[in-house]
Amino acid sequence: MRFAAALDRDDPADDAAAVPGDRNPAAAVVYAKVPGATVPGTPGPARDPAAGAAVLPFCGTELRLLADGALWWPEAATLVVADLHFEKASSLARRGSLLPPYDTAVTLDRLDRLIAALRPACVISLGDAFHDSFALERIAGEARQRIAALQAGRDWVWVAGNHDRDLRGAIGGTVVEELAIGPLLFRHEPAAEAEPGEIAGHLHPAARVLLRPKSVRRRCFATDGRRLILPAFGALTGGLNLLDRAYRGLFDPAGLVAHLVGDGRVYSFPRRHLAPD
């Protein structure tokens, strides 16, 4: 099935670059054979990133889980991304692993398209925007200018992550440890015990789903209705299987849903369809 091929694009980086996808209406037939799975939307025009989003009622508000791997909160006109990991390729190059040094530009391209389409009043980066403490020294002047242009005319909040706690005064915007807006609390690392409404990153969630005769593995949003963890947005960021022990205790297994990032839309699967790597 082309549908399975559309989602199953595993590569060594499990990266967030654009993935050729399934534009075959037969995809709905495949989903009809998987009890509990839902197709929230159909692929829309490239200029409308919310067209294939999953709509998530969450702690008294309504969120949009975008196929780009970002979160859109329409009520607050707020765009949320996690784990951009700017300058990861240049970090790896310092250790002898030579990759094309374009990951920051690719991530900024994707972020630029989202901001141009949605015109958010506020952008929140949920930590690890930079891959290491020296990334700001390596980032090119052009990339700095692009970040400044994206920040212009809107609130921009950097939630400090474990990789980038020295951002204050270095890159524009506001740097915080965590941020509460209405019923939602934005932080980098999910807390061991959190009140409903927590939205975090850090763990780079991914899910493997059994779709006979094969399985597919994709980045995903993970939620049980009380907590939401976003996939990594950066171009060279991998994904940690949602069944890994790192997630133990963070979700109610009975309510856990993985919203897999596909090409142009998000596919939602309850816990019983998930498989380990």
Side-chain angles (χ1 to χ4, degrees):
M1 282 280 189
R2 290 183 59 208
F3 166 72
L7 289 179
D8 192 15
R9 291 279 297 183
D10 294 345
D11 59 35
D14 191 22
D15 66 40
V19 175
D22 173 40
R23 295 175 176 81
N24 188 341
V29 177
V30 175
Y31 263 80
K33 298 177 182 178
V34 184
T38 59
V39 180
T42 55
R47 66 180 179 277
D48 183 5
V55 178
L56 179 68
F58 186 77
C59 299
T61 190
E62 191 172 86
L63 307 175
R64 301 288 191 277
L65 311 181
L66 305 181
D68 300 83
L71 173 68
W72 175 236
W73 185 10
E75 180 183 353
T78 294
L79 179 68
V80 187
V81 291
D83 299 281
L84 300 170
H85 283 268
F86 292 139
E87 294 304 305
K88 181 174 181 177
S90 63
S91 177
L92 295 175
R94 297 176 69 186
R95 305 175 194 174
S97 179
L98 299 181
L99 293 172
Y102 306 126
D103 59 303
T104 296
V106 171
T107 300
L108 284 171
D109 285 346
R110 298 176 59 237
L111 191 54
D112 195 352
R113 286 194 295 270
L114 279 177
I115 290 174
L118 296 171
R119 299 184 179 277
C122 177
V123 174
I124 301 173
S125 169
L126 289 182
D128 288 358
F130 293 85
H131 187 66
D132 60 48
S133 300
F134 302 101
L136 277 169
E137 298 176 8
R138 299 193 306 273
I139 194 168
E142 179 183 356
R144 285 176 174 269
Q145 293 171 7
R146 292 187 66 185
I147 292 170
L150 292 175
Q151 292 173 333
R154 59 180 48 88
D155 294 327
W156 193 285
V157 181
W158 305 101
V159 176
N162 51 297
H163 284 254
D164 53 12
R165 295 199 174 274
D166 299 320
L167 289 175
R168 286 180 174 82
I171 201 69
T174 302
V175 181
V176 300
E177 291 297 317
E178 58 182 37
L179 176 67
I181 305 177
L184 306 183
L185 176 64
F186 300 92
R187 55 163 51 115
H188 177 57
E189 296 188 37
E193 296 183 8
E195 295 296 320
E198 181 191 82
I199 297 179
H202 182 60
L203 290 174
H204 300 208
R208 184 174 295 281
V209 176
L210 298 177
L211 288 174
R212 298 183 185 278
K214 63 182 299 184
S215 66
V216 294
R217 188 184 195 277
R218 297 295 293 148
R219 296 177 304 132
C220 71
F221 299 86
T223 185
D224 59 359
R226 293 170 53 87
R227 183 198 310 261
L228 173 64
I229 301 181
L230 271 60
F233 190 84
L236 282 182
T237 49
L240 180 65
N241 191 294
L242 199 48
L243 300 185
D244 187 89
R245 63 183 179 180
Y247 296 96
R248 289 177 186 170
L250 295 182
F251 297 108
D252 174 8
L256 178 60
V257 178
H259 300 277
L260 274 66
V261 173
D263 177 31
R265 54 183 168 184
V266 173
Y267 301 84
S268 305
F269 290 91
R271 165 68 176 77
R272 65 182 179 274
H273 294 297
L274 307 186
D277 289 333

